[in-house]
Coordinates of all heavy atoms in Angstrom, one line a residue:
M1 N 79.9 134.4 80.3 CA 80.7 134.6 81.4 C 80.8 133.1 82.1 O 82.0 133.0 82.7 CB 79.9 135.5 82.3 CG 80.7 136.0 83.5 SD 81.8 137.4 83.0 CE 82.6 137.8 84.5
T2 N 79.8 132.4 82.1 CA 80.0 131.1 82.9 C 81.0 130.2 82.2 O 81.6 129.4 82.8 CB 78.6 130.4 83.0 OG1 78.1 130.1 81.6 CG2 77.7 131.2 83.8
Q3 N 81.1 130.4 80.8 CA 82.1 129.5 80.1 C 83.5 130.0 80.5 O 84.3 129.0 80.7 CB 81.9 129.9 78.6 CG 82.3 128.6 77.8 CD 81.9 128.9 76.3 OE1 81.8 130.0 75.8 NE2 81.7 127.8 75.6
K4 N 83.8 131.2 80.8 CA 85.1 131.6 81.2 C 85.4 131.1 82.6 O 86.5 130.7 82.9 CB 85.2 133.1 81.2 CG 86.5 133.7 81.2 CD 86.5 135.2 80.9 CE 87.8 135.7 80.5 NZ 87.8 137.1 80.3
L5 N 84.3 131.0 83.4 CA 84.5 130.6 84.8 C 84.9 129.1 84.8 O 85.8 128.6 85.5 CB 83.3 130.9 85.7 CG 83.3 130.5 87.1 CD1 84.4 131.1 87.8 CD2 82.0 130.7 87.7
S6 N 84.1 128.3 83.9 CA 84.4 126.9 83.9 C 85.7 126.7 83.3 O 86.4 125.7 83.7 CB 83.3 126.2 83.1 OG 83.3 126.6 81.7
L7 N 86.2 127.4 82.4 CA 87.6 127.3 81.8 C 88.6 127.6 82.9 O 89.6 126.8 83.0 CB 87.8 128.3 80.7 CG 89.1 128.3 80.0 CD1 89.4 126.9 79.4 CD2 89.2 129.3 78.9
N8 N 88.4 128.6 83.7 CA 89.4 128.8 84.9 C 89.3 127.7 85.8 O 90.4 127.3 86.4 CB 89.0 130.1 85.5 CG 89.3 131.3 84.8 OD1 90.1 131.3 83.9 ND2 88.6 132.4 85.0
E9 N 88.2 127.1 86.1 CA 88.1 126.0 87.0 C 88.9 124.8 86.4 O 89.5 124.0 87.1 CB 86.7 125.6 87.3 CG 85.9 126.6 88.2 CD 84.5 126.3 88.3 OE1 83.9 125.3 87.7 OE2 83.8 126.9 89.1
Q10 N 88.7 124.6 85.1 CA 89.4 123.5 84.4 C 91.0 123.7 84.5 O 91.6 122.7 84.8 CB 89.0 123.4 83.0 CG 87.6 122.8 82.8 CD 87.2 122.9 81.4 OE1 88.0 123.3 80.5 NE2 86.1 122.2 81.1
I11 N 91.3 124.9 84.4 CA 92.8 125.2 84.4 C 93.3 125.0 85.8 O 94.4 124.4 86.1 CB 93.1 126.7 84.0 CG1 92.8 126.8 82.5 CG2 94.5 127.1 84.3 CD1 92.9 128.2 81.9
E12 N 92.5 125.5 86.8 CA 92.9 125.2 88.2 C 93.0 123.7 88.5 O 93.9 123.3 89.3 CB 91.9 126.0 89.2 CG 92.1 127.4 89.2 CD 91.0 128.0 90.1 OE1 90.3 127.4 90.9 OE2 90.9 129.3 90.0
Q13 N 92.0 123.0 88.0 CA 92.1 121.5 88.3 C 93.3 120.8 87.6 O 94.0 120.0 88.3 CB 90.8 120.9 87.7 CG 90.7 119.4 88.0 CD 89.5 118.8 87.3 OE1 88.7 119.5 86.6 NE2 89.3 117.6 87.6
I14 N 93.6 121.2 86.4 CA 94.8 120.7 85.7 C 96.1 121.1 86.5 O 97.0 120.2 86.6 CB 94.8 121.2 84.3 CG1 93.7 120.5 83.5 CG2 96.1 120.8 83.6 CD1 93.5 121.2 82.1
L15 N 96.2 122.3 86.9 CA 97.4 122.7 87.7 C 97.5 122.0 89.0 O 98.6 121.6 89.4 CB 97.4 124.2 87.9 CG 97.6 125.1 86.7 CD1 97.4 126.5 87.1 CD2 99.0 124.8 86.1
A16 N 96.4 121.7 89.6 CA 96.4 121.0 90.9 C 96.8 119.5 90.7 O 97.6 119.0 91.5 CB 95.0 121.0 91.6
E17 N 96.3 118.9 89.7 CA 96.7 117.5 89.3 C 98.2 117.5 89.0 O 99.0 116.6 89.4 CB 96.0 117.1 88.1 CG 94.5 116.8 88.5 CD 93.7 116.4 87.2 OE1 94.2 116.3 86.2 OE2 92.5 116.1 87.4
E18 N 98.7 118.4 88.2 CA 100.1 118.5 87.9 C 101.0 118.6 89.2 O 102.1 118.0 89.4 CB 100.5 119.5 86.9 CG 99.9 119.2 85.5 CD 100.3 120.3 84.5 OE1 101.0 121.3 84.9 OE2 99.8 120.2 83.4
T19 N 100.5 119.5 90.0 CA 101.3 119.8 91.3 C 101.3 118.5 92.2 O 102.3 118.2 92.8 CB 100.6 120.9 92.1 OG1 100.6 122.1 91.2 CG2 101.4 121.3 93.4
A20 N 100.2 117.8 92.3 CA 100.1 116.5 93.0 C 101.0 115.5 92.3 O 101.8 114.8 93.2 CB 98.7 116.0 93.1
L21 N 101.1 115.4 91.1 CA 102.0 114.3 90.4 C 103.4 114.8 90.7 O 104.2 113.9 90.9 CB 101.7 114.3 89.0 CG 100.4 113.6 88.5 CD1 100.2 113.7 87.0 CD2 100.6 112.0 88.9
E22 N 103.7 116.0 90.6 CA 105.1 116.4 90.9 C 105.5 116.2 92.3 O 106.7 115.8 92.6 CB 105.2 118.0 90.6 CG 106.6 118.6 90.6 CD 106.7 120.0 90.2 OE1 105.9 120.4 89.4 OE2 107.6 120.6 90.8
A23 N 104.6 116.4 93.2 CA 104.9 116.1 94.6 C 105.1 114.6 94.8 O 106.0 114.3 95.7 CB 103.7 116.6 95.5
Q24 N 104.5 113.8 94.1 CA 104.6 112.3 94.3 C 106.0 111.9 93.7 O 106.5 111.0 94.2 CB 103.5 111.5 93.6 CG 102.2 111.6 94.3 CD 101.1 110.7 93.5 OE1 101.3 110.4 92.4 NE2 100.0 110.6 94.1
R25 N 106.4 112.6 92.6 CA 107.7 112.2 92.0 C 108.9 112.7 92.7 O 110.0 112.2 92.5 CB 107.6 112.6 90.6 CG 106.7 111.9 89.7 CD 106.7 112.5 88.3 NE 105.7 112.0 87.5 CZ 105.0 112.6 86.6 NH1 105.4 113.8 86.2 NH2 104.0 112.0 85.9
S26 N 108.7 113.8 93.5 CA 109.8 114.3 94.2 C 110.4 113.4 95.3 O 109.7 112.4 95.7 CB 109.4 115.7 94.8 OG 108.5 115.5 95.9
W27 N 111.6 113.7 95.7 CA 112.2 113.0 96.8 C 111.4 112.9 98.1 O 111.2 111.9 98.7 CB 113.6 113.6 97.1 CG 114.3 112.9 98.2 CD1 114.7 113.3 99.4 CD2 114.9 111.5 98.1 NE1 115.4 112.4 100.0 CE2 115.5 111.3 99.3 CE3 114.9 110.5 97.1 CZ2 116.2 110.0 99.6 CZ3 115.6 109.3 97.4 CH2 116.1 109.1 98.6
S28 N 110.9 114.1 98.5 CA 110.0 114.1 99.7 C 108.8 113.4 99.5 O 108.3 112.9 100.5 CB 109.8 115.6 100.1 OG 109.0 116.3 99.1
G29 N 108.2 113.4 98.4 CA 107.0 112.7 98.1 C 107.2 111.1 98.2 O 106.4 110.4 98.7
K30 N 108.3 110.7 97.7 CA 108.6 109.3 97.9 C 109.0 108.9 99.3 O 108.5 107.8 99.8 CB 110.0 108.9 97.0 CG 109.7 109.1 95.6 CD 111.0 108.8 94.8 CE 110.7 109.0 93.3 NZ 111.9 108.7 92.5
L31 N 109.6 109.8 100.0 CA 109.8 109.5 101.5 C 108.5 109.4 102.3 O 108.3 108.6 103.1 CB 110.8 110.6 102.2 CG 112.2 110.5 101.8 CD1 112.9 111.7 102.4 CD2 112.8 109.2 102.1
K32 N 107.6 110.4 101.9 CA 106.3 110.3 102.6 C 105.5 109.1 102.2 O 104.8 108.5 103.1 CB 105.4 111.5 102.2 CG 105.9 112.8 102.8 CD 105.0 114.0 102.2 CE 105.6 115.3 102.8 NZ 104.8 116.5 102.2
R33 N 105.6 108.6 101.0 CA 104.9 107.4 100.5 C 105.5 106.2 101.4 O 104.8 105.3 101.8 CB 105.1 107.2 99.1 CG 104.2 106.1 98.5 CD 104.2 106.1 97.0 NE 105.3 106.4 96.3 CZ 105.6 107.5 95.6 NH1 104.6 108.4 95.4 NH2 106.7 107.6 94.9
V34 N 106.9 106.2 101.5 CA 107.5 105.0 102.3 C 107.0 105.1 103.7 O 106.7 104.1 104.3 CB 109.0 105.1 102.1 CG1 109.6 104.1 103.1 CG2 109.3 104.7 100.7
W35 N 107.0 106.3 104.3 CA 106.7 106.5 105.7 C 105.3 106.1 106.1 O 105.0 105.6 107.1 CB 107.0 107.9 106.1 CG 106.9 108.2 107.6 CD1 105.9 108.8 108.2 CD2 107.8 107.8 108.7 NE1 106.1 108.8 109.6 CE2 107.3 108.2 109.9 CE3 109.0 107.1 108.7 CZ2 107.9 108.0 111.1 CZ3 109.6 106.8 109.8 CH2 109.1 107.2 111.0
K36 N 104.4 106.4 105.2 CA 102.9 106.1 105.4 C 102.6 104.7 105.1 O 101.5 104.2 105.4 CB 102.1 107.0 104.6 CG 102.2 108.5 105.0 CD 101.3 109.4 104.2 CE 101.3 110.8 104.6 NZ 100.5 111.7 103.8
S37 N 103.4 103.9 104.4 CA 103.1 102.5 104.1 C 103.0 101.6 105.3 O 103.8 101.9 106.3 CB 104.0 102.0 103.0 OG 105.3 101.7 103.6
D38 N 102.4 100.6 105.1 CA 102.3 99.6 106.3 C 103.5 98.8 106.4 O 104.0 98.6 107.5 CB 101.0 98.6 106.1 CG 99.7 99.3 106.2 OD1 99.6 100.4 106.9 OD2 98.8 98.9 105.5
N39 N 104.1 98.4 105.3 CA 105.3 97.6 105.3 C 106.4 98.5 104.7 O 106.6 98.5 103.4 CB 105.1 96.3 104.4 CG 106.3 95.3 104.5 OD1 107.3 95.7 105.2 ND2 106.2 94.2 104.0
R40 N 107.2 99.2 105.5 CA 108.2 100.1 105.1 C 109.3 99.4 104.4 O 109.9 100.0 103.4 CB 108.7 101.0 106.3 CG 107.6 101.9 106.8 CD 108.2 102.7 107.9 NE 107.1 103.5 108.4 CZ 107.1 103.8 109.7 NH1 108.0 103.4 110.6 NH2 106.0 104.6 110.2
K41 N 109.7 98.3 104.8 CA 110.8 97.6 104.2 C 110.6 97.2 102.6 O 111.3 97.4 101.7 CB 111.1 96.3 104.9 CG 112.3 95.6 104.3 CD 112.6 94.3 105.2 CE 113.8 93.6 104.7 NZ 114.0 92.3 105.5
Q42 N 109.3 96.8 102.5 CA 108.9 96.5 101.1 C 108.7 97.8 100.2 O 109.0 97.8 99.1 CB 107.6 95.7 101.0 CG 107.2 95.1 99.7 CD 106.2 94.0 99.8 OE1 105.7 93.7 100.8 NE2 105.8 93.6 98.6
A43 N 108.2 98.8 100.9 CA 108.1 100.1 100.1 C 109.5 100.6 99.8 O 109.6 101.2 98.6 CB 107.3 101.0 101.1
I44 N 110.4 100.6 100.6 CA 111.7 101.0 100.3 C 112.3 100.2 99.2 O 112.9 100.7 98.2 CB 112.7 101.0 101.5 CG1 112.3 102.1 102.5 CG2 114.2 101.2 101.1 CD1 113.1 101.9 103.9
K45 N 112.1 98.9 99.2 CA 112.6 98.0 98.2 C 111.9 98.3 96.8 O 112.6 98.4 95.8 CB 112.3 96.6 98.6 CG 112.9 95.6 97.7 CD 112.6 94.2 98.3 CE 113.2 93.1 97.5 NZ 112.9 91.7 98.0
A46 N 110.6 98.6 96.8 CA 109.9 99.0 95.6 C 110.4 100.3 95.0 O 110.7 100.4 93.8 CB 108.5 99.1 95.8
E47 N 110.7 101.3 95.9 CA 111.2 102.6 95.4 C 112.6 102.4 94.8 O 113.0 103.0 93.9 CB 111.3 103.6 96.5 CG 109.9 104.0 97.0 CD 109.2 104.9 96.0 OE1 109.8 105.6 95.1 OE2 107.9 104.8 96.0
L48 N 113.5 101.6 95.5 CA 114.8 101.4 94.9 C 114.8 100.7 93.6 O 115.5 101.0 92.6 CB 115.7 100.6 95.9 CG 116.1 101.3 97.2 CD1 116.8 100.4 98.2 CD2 116.9 102.5 96.8
F49 N 114.0 99.7 93.4 CA 113.7 99.0 92.1 C 113.3 99.9 91.1 O 113.7 99.9 90.0 CB 112.9 97.8 92.3 CG 113.6 96.5 92.8 CD1 113.1 95.9 93.9 CD2 114.8 96.1 92.3 CE1 113.7 94.7 94.3 CE2 115.4 95.0 92.8 CZ 114.9 94.3 93.8
A50 N 112.3 100.8 91.4 CA 111.8 101.8 90.5 C 112.9 102.8 90.1 O 113.0 103.1 88.9 CB 110.7 102.5 91.1
M51 N 113.8 103.2 91.0 CA 114.8 104.1 90.7 C 115.9 103.3 89.8 O 116.4 103.9 88.8 CB 115.5 104.5 92.0 CG 116.6 105.6 91.8 SD 117.2 106.4 93.3 CE 117.4 105.0 94.4
W52 N 116.1 102.0 90.0 CA 117.1 101.2 89.2 C 116.5 101.1 87.8 O 117.3 101.2 86.9 CB 117.2 99.9 89.9 CG 118.3 99.1 89.2 CD1 118.0 98.0 88.3 CD2 119.6 99.1 89.2 NE1 119.1 97.5 87.9 CE2 120.2 98.1 88.4 CE3 120.6 99.9 89.9 CZ2 121.5 97.9 88.1 CZ3 121.9 99.7 89.7 CH2 122.3 98.7 88.9
R53 N 115.2 100.9 87.7 CA 114.6 100.7 86.3 C 114.8 102.0 85.5 O 114.7 102.0 84.4 CB 113.2 100.2 86.4 CG 113.1 98.8 86.7 CD 111.6 98.3 86.6 NE 110.7 99.1 87.3 CZ 110.2 98.9 88.5 NH1 110.6 97.8 89.1 NH2 109.3 99.6 89.1
G54 N 114.7 103.1 86.2 CA 114.7 104.4 85.7 C 116.1 104.9 85.2 O 116.2 105.9 84.4
L55 N 117.2 104.2 85.6 CA 118.5 104.5 85.1 C 118.9 104.1 83.8 O 118.5 103.0 83.4 CB 119.6 103.9 86.2 CG 119.7 104.6 87.6 CD1 120.6 103.8 88.4 CD2 120.1 106.0 87.4
S56 N 119.6 104.9 83.0 CA 120.1 104.4 81.8 C 121.4 103.6 81.9 O 121.9 103.5 83.1 CB 120.4 105.7 80.9 OG 121.4 106.5 81.5
R57 N 121.9 103.1 80.9 CA 123.2 102.4 81.0 C 124.3 103.3 81.5 O 125.2 102.8 82.2 CB 123.5 101.8 79.6 CG 122.6 100.7 79.2 CD 123.1 100.1 77.8 NE 122.3 99.1 77.3 CZ 122.4 97.8 77.4 NH1 123.5 97.4 78.0 NH2 121.6 97.0 76.9
K58 N 124.3 104.5 81.0 CA 125.4 105.4 81.5 C 125.2 105.7 83.0 O 126.2 105.8 83.7 CB 125.2 106.7 80.7 CG 126.3 107.7 80.9 CD 126.2 108.9 80.0 CE 127.4 109.8 80.2 NZ 127.1 111.0 79.4
G59 N 124.0 105.8 83.4 CA 123.8 106.0 84.8 C 124.2 104.8 85.7 O 124.8 105.0 86.8
I60 N 123.8 103.6 85.2 CA 124.3 102.4 85.9 C 125.8 102.3 86.0 O 126.4 102.0 87.0 CB 123.6 101.2 85.3 CG1 122.1 101.2 85.5 CG2 124.2 99.9 85.8 CD1 121.4 100.1 84.7
F61 N 126.5 102.6 84.8 CA 127.9 102.5 84.8 C 128.5 103.6 85.8 O 129.5 103.3 86.4 CB 128.4 102.8 83.3 CG 129.9 102.7 83.2 CD1 130.5 101.5 83.4 CD2 130.6 103.9 83.0 CE1 131.9 101.5 83.2 CE2 132.0 103.8 82.9 CZ 132.6 102.6 83.0
T62 N 128.0 104.8 85.8 CA 128.4 105.8 86.7 C 128.3 105.4 88.1 O 129.1 105.6 89.0 CB 127.7 107.1 86.4 OG1 127.9 107.4 85.2 CG2 128.3 108.1 87.3
L63 N 127.1 104.8 88.5 CA 126.9 104.3 89.8 C 127.9 103.2 90.2 O 128.4 103.2 91.3 CB 125.4 103.8 89.9 CG 125.0 103.5 91.3 CD1 125.0 104.7 92.3 CD2 123.5 103.0 91.2
F64 N 128.1 102.3 89.2 CA 129.1 101.3 89.5 C 130.5 101.8 89.7 O 131.3 101.3 90.6 CB 129.2 100.3 88.2 CG 130.3 99.3 88.3 CD1 130.3 98.2 89.2 CD2 131.4 99.5 87.5 CE1 131.4 97.4 89.2 CE2 132.5 98.7 87.5 CZ 132.4 97.5 88.4
L65 N 131.0 102.8 88.9 CA 132.3 103.5 89.1 C 132.3 104.1 90.5 O 133.4 104.1 91.1 CB 132.5 104.5 88.1 CG 132.9 103.9 86.7 CD1 133.1 105.0 85.7 CD2 134.2 103.1 86.8
I66 N 131.3 104.8 90.9 CA 131.3 105.5 92.3 C 131.5 104.4 93.4 O 132.4 104.6 94.3 CB 130.1 106.2 92.5 CG1 130.0 107.4 91.5 CG2 130.0 106.7 93.9 CD1 128.8 108.2 91.5
I67 N 130.7 103.3 93.3 CA 130.8 102.3 94.3 C 132.3 101.6 94.3 O 132.8 101.3 95.3 CB 129.7 101.3 94.2 CG1 128.3 101.9 94.4 CG2 129.9 100.0 94.9 CD1 127.2 101.0 94.1
A68 N 132.7 101.3 93.1 CA 134.1 100.7 93.0 C 135.1 101.6 93.6 O 136.0 101.2 94.2 CB 134.3 100.4 91.6
F69 N 135.0 102.9 93.2 CA 136.0 103.8 93.8 C 136.0 103.9 95.3 O 137.0 103.9 95.9 CB 135.7 105.3 93.1 CG 136.8 106.3 93.5 CD1 138.0 106.2 93.0 CD2 136.4 107.3 94.4 CE1 138.9 107.2 93.3 CE2 137.3 108.3 94.7 CZ 138.6 108.2 94.2
V70 N 134.8 104.0 95.9 CA 134.7 104.1 97.3 C 135.2 102.8 97.9 O 135.9 102.8 99.0 CB 133.1 104.4 97.7 CG1 133.0 104.1 99.2 CG2 132.7 105.8 97.3
F71 N 134.9 101.7 97.2 CA 135.4 100.4 97.9 C 136.9 100.3 97.8 O 137.6 99.9 98.7 CB 134.8 99.1 97.0 CG 135.3 97.9 97.3 CD1 135.0 97.2 98.6 CD2 136.3 97.2 96.6 CE1 135.4 96.0 98.9 CE2 136.8 96.0 97.0 CZ 136.4 95.4 98.1
A72 N 137.5 100.8 96.7 CA 139.0 100.8 96.5 C 139.6 101.7 97.6 O 140.6 101.3 98.1 CB 139.3 101.3 95.1
L73 N 139.0 102.9 97.8 CA 139.6 103.7 98.9 C 139.5 103.1 100.2 O 140.4 103.2 101.0 CB 138.9 105.1 98.8 CG 139.2 106.0 97.6 CD1 138.3 107.3 97.7 CD2 140.7 106.4 97.6
T74 N 138.3 102.5 100.5 CA 138.2 101.8 101.8 C 139.1 100.6 102.0 O 139.7 100.4 103.0 CB 136.7 101.3 101.9 OG1 135.8 102.5 101.7 CG2 136.4 100.8 103.3
F75 N 139.3 99.9 100.9 CA 140.1 98.7 100.9 C 141.6 99.1 101.1 O 142.3 98.4 101.8 CB 139.9 97.9 99.6 CG 140.6 96.6 99.7 CD1 140.1 95.5 100.5 CD2 141.8 96.3 98.9 CE1 140.8 94.4 100.5 CE2 142.4 95.2 98.9 CZ 142.0 94.1 99.7
S76 N 141.9 100.2 100.5 CA 143.3 100.6 100.6 C 143.7 101.1 102.1 O 144.8 101.0 102.5 CB 143.7 101.7 99.7 OG 143.0 102.9 100.0
V77 N 142.7 101.7 102.7 CA 142.9 102.1 104.2 C 143.0 100.9 105.1 O 143.8 100.9 106.0 CB 141.7 103.0 104.6 CG1 141.8 103.3 106.1 CG2 141.7 104.3 103.8
L78 N 142.3 99.8 104.8 CA 142.3 98.7 105.7 C 143.6 97.9 105.4 O 144.2 97.4 106.2 CB 141.1 97.7 105.4 CG 139.8 98.3 105.8 CD1 138.6 97.4 105.3 CD2 139.6 98.7 107.2

């Protein structure tokens, strides 16, 4: 019986760790990490660089197209 209890405790521990990691990777987890840091400017910069490193070539190209399109629309209005 004690073996089953320890197995349940292990499962609960694994689930709690996965939940904590998921919370850190989420948008709200990133915002909380930036908010709680001592140097918020550097924390935001680190998060943006991490997000940039996570993008694929296709993602970078898509982001470039969006920025270029918004710039073209803004430039045409001016």
Side-chain angles (χ1 to χ4, degrees):
M1 189 87 178
T2 59
Q3 210 173 26
K4 199 172 198 178
L5 183 62
S6 66
L7 181 60
N8 286 338
E9 289 174 353
Q10 289 176 354
I11 291 172
E12 288 177 10
Q13 181 183 5
I14 291 170
L15 288 175
E17 289 173 0
E18 288 180 6
T19 305
L21 285 175
E22 186 177 329
Q24 286 180 349
R25 292 180 189 146
S26 70
W27 179 251
S28 62
K30 290 178 183 181
L31 287 177
K32 287 178 186 176
R33 191 169 41 245
V34 168
W35 186 256
K36 290 180 181 178
S37 73
D38 294 332
N39 190 351
R40 290 186 184 144
K41 184 177 179 181
Q42 188 166 357
I44 290 173
K45 190 175 178 181
E47 290 294 333
L48 288 175
F49 279 130
M51 187 172 42
W52 181 261
R53 283 191 307 264
L55 286 177
S56 63
R57 289 185 186 260
K58 187 176 180 181
I60 292 172
F61 181 69
T62 304
L63 190 61
F64 170 75
L65 284 179
I66 291 170
I67 292 171
F69 184 71
V70 169
F71 176 76
L73 286 176
T74 306
F75 188 72
S76 67
V77 170
L78 297 176

